Amino acid sequence: VDSYIMGRTTAETRRLEIQAEMYAPHTEHLLRMAGIAAGMRVLDLGCGLGDVTMQAARLVGPTGQVIGVDTNPEMVTAARQRAKESGVDNVTFVQAEIPDIPVEGLVDAVVGRLILMHLKEPAAAVRSLRTMVRPGGIISFQEADVTYATSTRAAPLAARSMAWCDDAARLAGSAVCGRELGPILRDAGLDVAGMAVATPATADPESPDLLFCAATVASLLPLIVASGVATEAEVEIDTLLGRLRAEARETRSVTYAPELIGAWAIEAPGDPSSN
Ligand SMILES: C[S@@+](CC[C@H](N)C(=O)[O-])C[C@H]1O[C@@H](n2cnc3c(N)ncnc32)[C@H](O)[C@@H]1O
């Protein structure tokens, strides 16, 4: 069963690229804060196009190694190709579905961005994934939230677009789960060692941030309509980006993207299932 609510189109691939560019410096910062460092062997779960995989690969350097895992074979193929084109050679990619990851031996860290939101039982998955991490190793996830995704001045269309996505995802059981990330790790039996929040913001109405907003609505449109959150006529997807840009210009607002919440924990010595 294909349970990925964002769909698997070229447009969705492009949306993931825009997202990766927007969040890249924030993700690197959160990975560093979590303790990802030279020489580590790291697992990147739900790697998509491999952006986090490649960022982690730069942090672990030539003496380290990162394994990207995704359930979608097209993503795995695309990630391999992009890593090759970028000249990143300390990465490998595996097609597998969480939590059944066919990787030998323990890793120094398990990381993932925007993946727990797609799992029906994220805490149970994290608990199971803990068995793959060596004692003293790192477990670190980054998830988005829209609680503070806003504009500095009233921008009703931007707010409505965000709400369509949040409501549709929630109805599909794939809530944007950043605000739950700390509790999820605790429910998985972990002591959370640290958390931080990063929010891209822009004052430029032509910036990719609004493109990202419209592209996210586009990817979720079938779900938005099917779940009754809004009609196609209300969304008017073909003109949405133009109207978002016009609104930002007219209101002179600064747009805050959905924030990325990072949380990390250290795997304690002993049997994870007993914690
Ligand atoms: C929103 S994308 C995030 C991609 C990447 N982590 C990033 O931040 O750029 C989520 C990815 O998780 C993958 N995915 C969803 N459910 C999965 C599962 N149960 N096991 C492995 N991958 C999964 C999807 O195929 C998709 O590529």
Side-chain angles (χ1 to χ4, degrees):
V1 182
D2 187 343
S3 59
Y4 185 49
I5 63 164
M6 313 299 289
R8 295 184 176 187
T9 57
T10 314
E12 169 59 10
T13 302
R14 180 67 195 123
R15 191 189 72 88
L16 288 177
E17 283 172 357
I18 303 164
Q19 173 175 275
E21 274 165 40
M22 246 170 72
Y23 287 104
H26 305 288
T27 286
E28 178 170 338
H29 184 59
L30 293 172
L31 287 173
R32 282 185 194 276
M33 288 180 87
I36 303 304
M40 286 184 172
R41 181 170 186 248
V42 179
L43 208 51
D44 173 29
L45 299 174
C47 66
L49 296 171
D51 291 281
V52 177
T53 323
M54 288 191 276
Q55 281 190 286
R58 289 188 192 98
L59 293 177
V60 302
T63 57
Q65 191 207 2
V66 186
I67 306 155
V69 178
D70 203 286
T71 183
N72 179 352
E74 287 158 40
M75 287 289 181
V76 172
T77 304
R80 270 192 201 118
Q81 184 62 28
R82 288 172 89 233
K84 201 171 155 199
E85 283 164 11
S86 307
V88 181
D89 55 13
N90 56 342
V91 294
T92 51
F93 293 95
V94 177
Q95 193 244 317
E97 180 145 351
I98 298 167
D100 301 315
I101 315 291
V103 167
E104 296 281 312
L106 297 178
V107 297
D108 299 302
V110 162
V111 304
R113 182 177 73 178
L114 306 173
I115 177 60
L116 296 184
M117 64 181 287
H118 295 295
L119 305 181
K120 293 281 175 259
E121 294 187 50
V126 173
R127 187 180 281 276
S128 155
L129 292 162
R130 288 178 56 195
T131 57
M132 306 192 67
V133 183
R134 72 163 167 82
I138 298 163
I139 294 159
S140 173
F141 289 93
Q142 302 179 9
E143 296 292 326
D145 198 2
V146 294
T147 308
Y148 305 104
T150 183
S151 303
T152 49
R153 305 188 186 196
L157 185 60
R160 218 177 308 137
S161 302
M162 208 75 76
W164 288 330
C165 297
D166 200 31
D167 291 349
R170 203 182 303 282
L171 287 171
S174 268
V176 179
C177 69
R179 77 198 78 163
E180 294 301 323
L181 183 53
I184 287 169
L185 295 193
R186 289 179 60 84
D187 288 348
L190 290 161
D191 286 329
V192 178
M195 291 189 72
V197 182
T199 307
T202 181
D204 176 8
E206 302 306 317
S207 85
D209 299 43
L210 292 173
L211 174 56
F212 175 69
C213 179
T216 304
V217 175
S219 278
L220 283 170
L221 190 58
L223 199 58
I224 289 169
V225 172
S227 58
V229 166
T231 63
E232 288 204 25
E234 283 169 310
V235 174
E236 219 186 294
I237 195 68
D238 293 341
T239 61
L240 182 62
L241 177 59
R243 287 181 290 130
L244 284 167
R245 294 212 194 284
E247 179 181 76
R249 262 193 310 275
E250 282 156 22
T251 58
R252 294 166 48 80
S253 59
V254 173
T255 306
Y256 297 175
E259 63 269 21
L260 197 59
I261 301 180
W264 52 94
I266 306 299
E267 183 55 53
D271 175 8
S273 60
S274 68
N275 292 339

PDB file of all heavy atoms in Angstrom, residues 97-110:
ATOM      1  N   GLU A  97      11.837  -0.492   4.142  1.00  0.00           N
ATOM      2  CA  GLU A  97      10.746   0.175   4.851  1.00  0.00           C
ATOM      3  C   GLU A  97      10.994   0.118   6.354  1.00  0.00           C
ATOM      4  O   GLU A  97      11.225  -0.948   6.918  1.00  0.00           O
ATOM      5  CB  GLU A  97       9.408  -0.505   4.501  1.00  0.00           C
ATOM      6  CG  GLU A  97       8.256   0.138   5.214  1.00  0.00           C
ATOM      7  CD  GLU A  97       6.987   0.164   4.381  1.00  0.00           C
ATOM      8  OE1 GLU A  97       7.058  -0.167   3.182  1.00  0.00           O
ATOM      9  OE2 GLU A  97       5.947   0.531   4.933  1.00  0.00           O
ATOM     10  N   ILE A  98      10.950   1.278   6.989  1.00  0.00           N
ATOM     11  CA  ILE A  98      11.116   1.374   8.445  1.00  0.00           C
ATOM     12  C   ILE A  98      10.032   0.528   9.115  1.00  0.00           C
ATOM     13  O   ILE A  98       8.865   0.623   8.710  1.00  0.00           O
ATOM     14  CB  ILE A  98      10.962   2.849   8.898  1.00  0.00           C
ATOM     15  CG1 ILE A  98      12.045   3.696   8.259  1.00  0.00           C
ATOM     16  CG2 ILE A  98      10.966   2.985  10.407  1.00  0.00           C
ATOM     17  CD1 ILE A  98      11.790   5.189   8.385  1.00  0.00           C
ATOM     18  N   PRO A  99      10.335  -0.281  10.128  1.00  0.00           N
ATOM     19  CA  PRO A  99      11.621  -0.380  10.824  1.00  0.00           C
ATOM     20  C   PRO A  99      12.511  -1.531  10.354  1.00  0.00           C
ATOM     21  O   PRO A  99      13.495  -1.833  11.022  1.00  0.00           O
ATOM     22  CB  PRO A  99      11.173  -0.608  12.272  1.00  0.00           C
ATOM     23  CG  PRO A  99       9.930  -1.412  12.134  1.00  0.00           C
ATOM     24  CD  PRO A  99       9.268  -0.987  10.849  1.00  0.00           C
ATOM     25  N   ASP A 100      12.169  -2.180   9.223  1.00  0.00           N
ATOM     26  CA  ASP A 100      12.965  -3.340   8.784  1.00  0.00           C
ATOM     27  C   ASP A 100      14.103  -2.888   7.873  1.00  0.00           C
ATOM     28  O   ASP A 100      13.947  -2.850   6.654  1.00  0.00           O
ATOM     29  CB  ASP A 100      12.060  -4.342   8.060  1.00  0.00           C
ATOM     30  CG  ASP A 100      10.937  -4.819   8.965  1.00  0.00           C
ATOM     31  OD1 ASP A 100      11.233  -5.135  10.129  1.00  0.00           O
ATOM     32  OD2 ASP A 100       9.769  -4.819   8.518  1.00  0.00           O
ATOM     33  N   ILE A 101      15.232  -2.556   8.468  1.00  0.00           N
ATOM     34  CA  ILE A 101      16.350  -1.999   7.711  1.00  0.00           C
ATOM     35  C   ILE A 101      17.465  -3.049   7.622  1.00  0.00           C
ATOM     36  O   ILE A 101      18.049  -3.427   8.648  1.00  0.00           O
ATOM     37  CB  ILE A 101      16.926  -0.739   8.419  1.00  0.00           C
ATOM     38  CG1 ILE A 101      15.805   0.192   8.884  1.00  0.00           C
ATOM     39  CG2 ILE A 101      17.925  -0.025   7.513  1.00  0.00           C
ATOM     40  CD1 ILE A 101      15.046   0.887   7.807  1.00  0.00           C
ATOM     41  N   PRO A 102      17.750  -3.537   6.414  1.00  0.00           N
ATOM     42  CA  PRO A 102      18.746  -4.600   6.277  1.00  0.00           C
ATOM     43  C   PRO A 102      20.177  -4.065   6.281  1.00  0.00           C
ATOM     44  O   PRO A 102      20.873  -4.126   5.276  1.00  0.00           O
ATOM     45  CB  PRO A 102      18.377  -5.219   4.916  1.00  0.00           C
ATOM     46  CG  PRO A 102      17.821  -4.068   4.132  1.00  0.00           C
ATOM     47  CD  PRO A 102      17.177  -3.140   5.114  1.00  0.00           C
ATOM     48  N   VAL A 103      20.596  -3.547   7.410  1.00  0.00           N
ATOM     49  CA  VAL A 103      21.969  -3.021   7.515  1.00  0.00           C
ATOM     50  C   VAL A 103      22.708  -3.802   8.597  1.00  0.00           C
ATOM     51  O   VAL A 103      22.199  -3.966   9.706  1.00  0.00           O
ATOM     52  CB  VAL A 103      21.937  -1.502   7.852  1.00  0.00           C
ATOM     53  CG1 VAL A 103      23.296  -1.008   8.278  1.00  0.00           C
ATOM     54  CG2 VAL A 103      21.438  -0.708   6.636  1.00  0.00           C
ATOM     55  N   GLU A 104      23.889  -4.291   8.244  1.00  0.00           N
ATOM     56  CA  GLU A 104      24.687  -5.105   9.160  1.00  0.00           C
ATOM     57  C   GLU A 104      25.378  -4.243  10.204  1.00  0.00           C
ATOM     58  O   GLU A 104      25.849  -3.148   9.882  1.00  0.00           O
ATOM     59  CB  GLU A 104      25.778  -5.850   8.372  1.00  0.00           C
ATOM     60  CG  GLU A 104      25.262  -6.846   7.358  1.00  0.00           C
ATOM     61  CD  GLU A 104      24.824  -8.148   8.002  1.00  0.00           C
ATOM     62  OE1 GLU A 104      25.591  -8.697   8.816  1.00  0.00           O
ATOM     63  OE2 GLU A 104      23.697  -8.599   7.689  1.00  0.00           O
ATOM     64  N   GLY A 105      25.502  -4.743  11.406  1.00  0.00           N
ATOM     65  CA  GLY A 105      26.299  -4.082  12.447  1.00  0.00           C
ATOM     66  C   GLY A 105      25.612  -2.854  13.012  1.00  0.00           C
ATOM     67  O   GLY A 105      24.620  -2.366  12.470  1.00  0.00           O
ATOM     68  N   LEU A 106      26.158  -2.365  14.130  1.00  0.00           N
ATOM     69  CA  LEU A 106      25.579  -1.193  14.778  1.00  0.00           C
ATOM     70  C   LEU A 106      26.109   0.092  14.144  1.00  0.00           C
ATOM     71  O   LEU A 106      27.217   0.119  13.630  1.00  0.00           O
ATOM     72  CB  LEU A 106      25.932  -1.201  16.276  1.00  0.00           C
ATOM     73  CG  LEU A 106      25.379  -2.382  17.073  1.00  0.00           C
ATOM     74  CD1 LEU A 106      25.826  -2.304  18.530  1.00  0.00           C
ATOM     75  CD2 LEU A 106      23.853  -2.437  16.984  1.00  0.00           C
ATOM     76  N   VAL A 107      25.311   1.136  14.165  1.00  0.00           N
ATOM     77  CA  VAL A 107      25.758   2.435  13.637  1.00  0.00           C
ATOM     78  C   VAL A 107      26.010   3.396  14.800  1.00  0.00           C
ATOM     79  O   VAL A 107      25.571   3.163  15.928  1.00  0.00           O
ATOM     80  CB  VAL A 107      24.731   3.050  12.653  1.00  0.00           C
ATOM     81  CG1 VAL A 107      24.560   2.177  11.429  1.00  0.00           C
ATOM     82  CG2 VAL A 107      23.390   3.291  13.335  1.00  0.00           C
ATOM     83  N   ASP A 108      26.741   4.476  14.504  1.00  0.00           N
ATOM     84  CA  ASP A 108      27.026   5.490  15.534  1.00  0.00           C
ATOM     85  C   ASP A 108      25.844   6.437  15.708  1.00  0.00           C
ATOM     86  O   ASP A 108      25.720   7.070  16.755  1.00  0.00           O
ATOM     87  CB  ASP A 108      28.263   6.311  15.144  1.00  0.00           C
ATOM     88  CG  ASP A 108      29.500   5.442  15.017  1.00  0.00           C
ATOM     89  OD1 ASP A 108      29.841   4.775  16.015  1.00  0.00           O
ATOM     90  OD2 ASP A 108      30.100   5.406  13.923  1.00  0.00           O
ATOM     91  N   ALA A 109      25.029   6.554  14.662  1.00  0.00           N
ATOM     92  CA  ALA A 109      23.901   7.485  14.754  1.00  0.00           C
ATOM     93  C   ALA A 109      22.797   7.107  13.780  1.00  0.00           C
ATOM     94  O   ALA A 109      23.060   6.676  12.662  1.00  0.00           O
ATOM     95  CB  ALA A 109      24.373   8.908  14.464  1.00  0.00           C
ATOM     96  N   VAL A 110      21.572   7.304  14.233  1.00  0.00           N
ATOM     97  CA  VAL A 110      20.404   7.238  13.350  1.00  0.00           C
ATOM     98  C   VAL A 110      19.837   8.646  13.271  1.00  0.00           C
ATOM     99  O   VAL A 110      19.601   9.269  14.310  1.00  0.00           O
ATOM    100  CB  VAL A 110      19.342   6.257  13.904  1.00  0.00           C
ATOM    101  CG1 VAL A 110      17.999   6.517  13.263  1.00  0.00           C
ATOM    102  CG2 VAL A 110      19.758   4.827  13.669  1.00  0.00           C
TER     103      VAL A 110
END
